[in-house]
Amino acid sequence: MITVCANVILLVCSVARSYGMHNSDKQFAHCDGYSSGREKTAESSSRMDTQQHYCLATDEFPVHASTFSPTSLKNMVKIEAGSFAIGTNDPVFVADGEGPKRRIYLDSFRIDETEVSNENFARFVDATGYRTEAERFGDSFVFEGLLEKEIRENITRVVARAPWWLQVKNADWRHPEGPGSDIKHRMDHPVVHVSWNDAVAYCRWLGKRLPTETEWEVACRGGLSDRLYPWGNKLIPNGRYRANTWQGDFPRNNTEEDGYIGTSPVSEFPTNKYGLYNMIGNVWEWTFDWWTIEIGERGGSTNPIGPSRGTDKVKKGGSYLCHESYCFRYRCAARSQNTPDTSAGNLGFRCALSA
Ligand SMILES: [Ca+2]
Ligand SMILES: [Ca+2]
């Protein structure tokens, strides 16, 4: 019953949709599954998945830091190659495949210090004319507590098992709470309402890629072993908040003790030991991998990458909507999933590179 959080969104987002393609999207369509994603149906989804895997497995992973200027590597942290422990033997959500704890080896990689901000994403859109899937679909999912009354009253579609998620017409990254809202004073907040496909397009524009699930978890753990959070096991050490989650009574009353009812700036709260901000909380973050709970399908113990195909992508870290009573997923070992064309007001990403 607690397994819902944002992943119930996919129930609604799996509905078949058909969309025209904007001219400026064509430059991204060659390899990202956009064209088939627009007409996603039960029949076309497996074709799309195969195509995405082929393209990304051969095209994304050769991306290497040695081809980059030092300037384009700024704001990224290098994590040296090594052996790391991931997963947990004390899972909160067994059905999510949080366990077992296991040792893996990773080559060195770099990862963005912060979630991708609205300012970052605006630069991408200005340079390319890119339109997100939410913009082309014409709607996205917004938490009801953040909506103006007039918009809330006109909503006809909600997520059955999580009625606080409302499908809002014309909600997108520039209008996170739908028409009338803007990001003018949130340029340093994480971009939201971006699908996995949008995230890949952004990272690719910079010559980067999404982190694998394993890279993301190793980065989250900040060199610590077997801890719940990027800094240790206490959520609020010495009474100081270190992440943006939900305080109060979900979903009715957010007491905002951490200072934020919605997103916070991407460099708010202290970093972990690797110098990474908001690995847990603030917004969920897309990873490269297809979702599976089967350990045997997660790519072995050296540079693991998830299964070669699937229907959902793995997201990590939890969001400002997560509360211990309901969605205790703001932990490094926690994981969840959405279809690659899903977007919502609590879902963003950061990019990575092989280093
Ligand atoms: Ca908060
Ligand atoms: Ca985050």
Side-chain angles (χ1 to χ4, degrees):
M1 84 195 161
I2 307 181
T3 60
V4 211
C5 203
N7 47 331
V8 287
I9 294 170
L10 68 89
L11 298 175
V12 175
C13 287
S14 299
V15 175
R17 295 161 144 174
S18 184
Y19 301 89
M21 188 173 239
H22 190 275
N23 276 345
S24 60
D25 303 330
K26 287 179 184 163
Q27 63 183 300
F28 300 101
H30 61 288
C31 205
D32 295 324
Y34 290 124
S35 50
S36 47
R38 301 289 68 70
E39 301 123 29
K40 191 171 180 186
T41 64
E43 297 91 292
S44 70
S45 62
S46 64
R47 180 161 44 85
M48 178 185 77
D49 297 345
T50 306
Q51 183 192 30
Q52 276 181 349
H53 173 68
Y54 173 76
C55 293
L56 292 168
T58 56
D59 198 15
E60 295 289 306
F61 277 86
V63 171
H64 197 281
S66 61
T67 61
F68 281 70
S69 70
T71 325
S72 47
L73 295 178
K74 78 175 181 169
N75 305 325
M76 295 190 92
V77 163
K78 184 175 182 184
I79 296 174
E80 298 295 343
S83 166
F84 304 91
I86 58 166
T88 175
N89 287 333
D90 191 16
V92 176
F93 299 107
V94 177
D96 285 356
E98 294 177 3
K101 181 180 170 183
R102 57 211 180 272
R103 190 150 281 279
I104 51 93
Y105 174 86
L106 283 184
D107 289 334
S108 59
F109 65 101
R110 289 173 204 253
I111 188 163
D112 290 346
E113 286 173 356
T114 66
E115 297 147 337
V116 171
S117 68
N118 284 316
E119 189 181 343
N120 300 144
F121 201 76
R123 225 173 280 141
F124 163 57
V125 169
D126 287 348
T128 62
Y130 183 82
R131 294 177 73 230
T132 59
E133 292 202 287
E135 288 170 289
R136 285 177 271 151
F137 289 173
D139 57 53
S140 191
F141 287 88
V142 184
F143 177 70
E144 67 169 346
L146 298 176
L147 283 174
E148 297 290 337
K149 196 165 165 241
E150 307 85 74
I151 294 184
R152 210 164 49 221
E153 284 171 350
N154 287 322
I155 299 293
T156 53
R157 207 161 173 203
V158 302
V159 177
R161 286 188 300 157
W164 44 87
W165 277 114
L166 308 186
Q167 193 170 1
V168 177
K169 270 200 185 332
N170 299 318
D172 59 44
W173 72 277
R174 281 194 186 91
H175 309 97
E177 293 82 37
S181 65
D182 64 54
I183 53 172
K184 214 167 17 180
H185 302 295
R186 286 183 274 181
M187 294 308 284
D188 57 351
H189 287 222
V191 64
V192 292
H193 299 298
V194 281
S195 67
W196 184 91
N197 295 314
D198 299 329
V200 167
Y202 173 88
C203 293
R204 174 172 288 171
W205 176 65
L206 291 170
K208 301 178 184 178
R209 58 173 173 80
L210 286 175
T212 64
E213 178 182 3
T214 307
E215 287 173 339
W216 193 99
E217 184 169 335
V218 164
C220 181
R221 291 181 177 281
L224 302 177
S225 182
D226 228 4
R227 297 290 188 273
L228 289 173
Y229 310 117
W231 56 85
N233 280 332
K234 279 194 183 157
L235 180 61
I236 316 168
N238 304 316
R240 288 187 59 208
Y241 283 92
R242 300 198 52 143
N244 180 10
T245 59
W246 180 290
Q247 294 85 47
D249 175 23
F250 186 88
R252 295 291 157 217
N253 180 32
N254 189 337
T255 55
E256 299 178 55
E257 284 154 49
D258 60 22
Y260 297 94
I261 191 169
T263 54
S264 71
V266 295
S267 51
E268 185 67 309
F269 302 104
T271 66
N272 70 6
K273 283 190 175 163
Y274 286 155
L276 300 170
Y277 293 90
N278 292 301
M279 291 301 292
I280 66 155
N282 211 21
V283 288
W284 282 99
E285 299 176 27
W286 290 112
T287 73
F288 174 81
D289 298 31
W290 287 113
W291 170 265
T292 179
I293 61 164
E294 301 301 329
I295 288 294
E297 293 175 2
R298 293 199 215 165
S301 58
T302 301
N303 297 318
I305 299 181
S308 58
R309 61 175 62 198
T311 54
D312 298 326
K313 289 289 182 178
V314 178
K315 63 181 184 180
K316 296 279 282 182
S319 82
Y320 61 86
L321 291 178
C322 285
H323 182 267
E324 186 170 356
S325 69
Y326 176 70
C327 173
F328 184 27
R329 289 193 175 81
Y330 43 88
R331 296 170 290 112
C332 294
R335 50 205 303 274
S336 188
Q337 86 273 29
N338 280 115
T339 57
D341 59 356
T342 297
S343 64
N346 68 341
L347 180 49
F349 67 103
R350 73 181 76 206
C351 306
L353 269 179
S354 300

